[in-house]
Amino acid sequence: MTLDAHQHFWNYDSLRHEWITPQMAKIRQDFMPEDLGTLLRKNDIEGCVAVQVDQTEEETLFLLGLADAHDFVKGVVGWVDFRDENVYKRLDYFSQFEKLKGFRHIVQAEPDDFLTRTDFVQGVRHLSEFDFSYDILIYPSQLAAAAFFVSQLPDVRFVVDHLAKPDIRTGAIAEWSKGIKRLASFPNVSCKISGMVTEADWQHWQPSDLTPYLDVVVEAFGTQRLMFGSDWPVCLVAAEYKQVKDSINTYFSTFSATEQQAVWGENARKFYKIEL
């Protein structure tokens, strides 16, 4: 099965989606499964995982509704408040939804030490009891805290979104490389090859700009802990869906068939426990 392990749906609202700046005007509109389905078929992708962008339980239920209505939406990464004293009860409630695979918090918008906070760590600890995973969304400056976070939670399955957003635009790589390799040293951590074009120069990026960063994560995680994600529709500010896919496809074209199958879907299927 080929899978896009990271994309989003929304009904655009200027207040709820205030993170979409004027420079990102191209995505100031609705993006729904009907829009993505055609792109997946054209690019030989059989399914996708829809990931939250709003930090509300309503968002989680919205995505689950879309997944129920569209078979190609194979999984959902939602949101709960892990700092809430009732988080166990909320996870118990959400465990009834077959397509809900895991959760995410937009940590990139939090202080750099956020992932070291005891209440958050304790909340995320409950995920393993329900066999849910956790998506780590951070900037490079938060990699040290992420390593501490993961070290406290050996029973939780983690995946790093967007390679932890290295600064591809400027070519900065050394400190990010150290941090991502430290995070990769934990065997329960995987990484999404996603969100790279939006960390590069939106107007002038080339596939070769991505290569040094791909080299690092391949060395750090191996091909058995990497998964493709388009980050559609956010990617559209820098590239069309096909351009994103083609750039990754070119990089992995010399890898073995088994390794390519792993990156293009098998790893995501296993991580998110998606049935064939």
Side-chain angles (χ1 to χ4, degrees):
M1 176 183 287
T2 53
L3 288 169
D4 180 341
H6 197 105
Q7 50 76 213
H8 308 286
F9 298 122
W10 62 69
N11 287 311
Y12 177 70
D13 179 272
S14 59
L15 294 178
R16 192 167 70 251
H17 300 114
E18 61 181 355
W19 59 272
I20 304 178
T21 65
Q23 292 73 30
M24 304 168 78
K26 189 171 184 178
I27 61 172
R28 285 185 159 182
Q29 57 182 297
D30 298 349
F31 290 96
M32 298 294 281
E34 294 81 5
D35 305 306
L36 180 61
T38 300
L39 291 173
L40 295 183
R41 289 189 294 273
K42 286 181 177 179
N43 287 278
D44 299 316
I45 302 291
E46 297 170 83
C48 63
V49 176
V51 180
Q52 63 83 225
V53 292
D54 296 341
Q55 302 207 125
T56 64
E57 289 191 7
E58 289 76 15
E59 163 90 341
T60 305
L61 294 170
F62 164 71
L63 294 176
L64 287 168
L66 295 179
D68 283 344
H70 300 274
D71 184 61
F72 68 82
V73 183
K74 302 296 184 182
V76 167
V77 175
W79 181 89
V80 292
D81 186 353
F82 287 108
R83 295 164 291 182
D84 191 307
E85 63 181 14
N86 293 314
V87 64
Y88 183 93
K89 291 181 179 179
R90 301 313 301 150
L91 292 173
D92 185 47
Y93 165 76
F94 280 116
S95 67
Q96 69 182 288
F97 298 98
E98 183 178 346
K99 284 193 172 182
L100 185 57
K101 305 301 182 179
F103 293 88
R104 182 175 85 157
H105 185 87
I106 302 178
V107 176
Q108 67 176 33
E110 304 285 1
D112 283 355
D113 67 348
F114 181 82
L115 288 176
T116 69
R117 297 182 180 181
T118 301
D119 56 351
F120 193 78
V121 174
Q122 289 302 109
V124 173
R125 191 180 305 278
H126 292 303
L127 290 178
S128 62
E129 300 173 61
F130 298 95
D131 206 20
F132 285 131
S133 62
Y134 181 86
D135 272 51
I136 301 174
L137 177 63
I138 55 173
Y139 286 126
S141 62
Q142 297 166 311
L143 278 164
F148 172 84
F149 175 63
V150 168
S151 74
Q152 304 302 300
L153 301 164
D155 297 325
V156 178
R157 300 190 318 279
F158 293 102
V159 62
V160 181
D161 292 345
H162 315 326
L163 287 73
K165 296 197 164 186
D167 191 355
I168 299 171
R169 177 186 294 270
T170 66
I173 195 169
E175 289 304 310
W176 166 82
S177 178
K178 291 177 186 176
I180 203 73
K181 287 177 180 178
R182 170 63 178 147
L183 203 49
S185 71
F186 296 94
N188 57 325
V189 181
S190 297
C191 182
K192 290 183 182 177
I193 299 173
S194 59
M196 299 185 74
V197 295
T198 48
E199 299 308 313
D201 184 320
W202 293 358
Q203 281 74 44
H204 305 292
W205 73 274
Q206 298 293 326
S208 58
D209 298 336
L210 314 182
T211 299
Y213 302 89
L214 289 168
D215 287 344
V216 169
V217 294
V218 168
E219 178 186 352
F221 291 93
T223 54
Q224 295 306 305
R225 287 190 288 151
L226 294 174
M227 59 189 81
F228 166 74
S230 66
D231 199 26
W232 180 93
V234 181
C235 68
L236 297 177
V237 301
E240 296 299 321
Y241 193 104
K242 187 176 187 300
Q243 290 176 283
V244 173
K245 188 198 172 194
D246 286 352
S247 66
I248 304 305
N249 194 45
T250 298
Y251 179 86
F252 284 101
S253 62
T254 60
F255 286 62
S256 71
T258 300
E259 290 174 314
Q260 291 185 53
Q261 289 167 4
V263 171
W264 286 107
E266 189 60 16
N267 294 342
R269 187 187 70 79
K270 290 178 179 177
F271 180 86
Y272 285 118
K273 302 199 172 181
I274 295 168
E275 298 296 328
L276 288 171

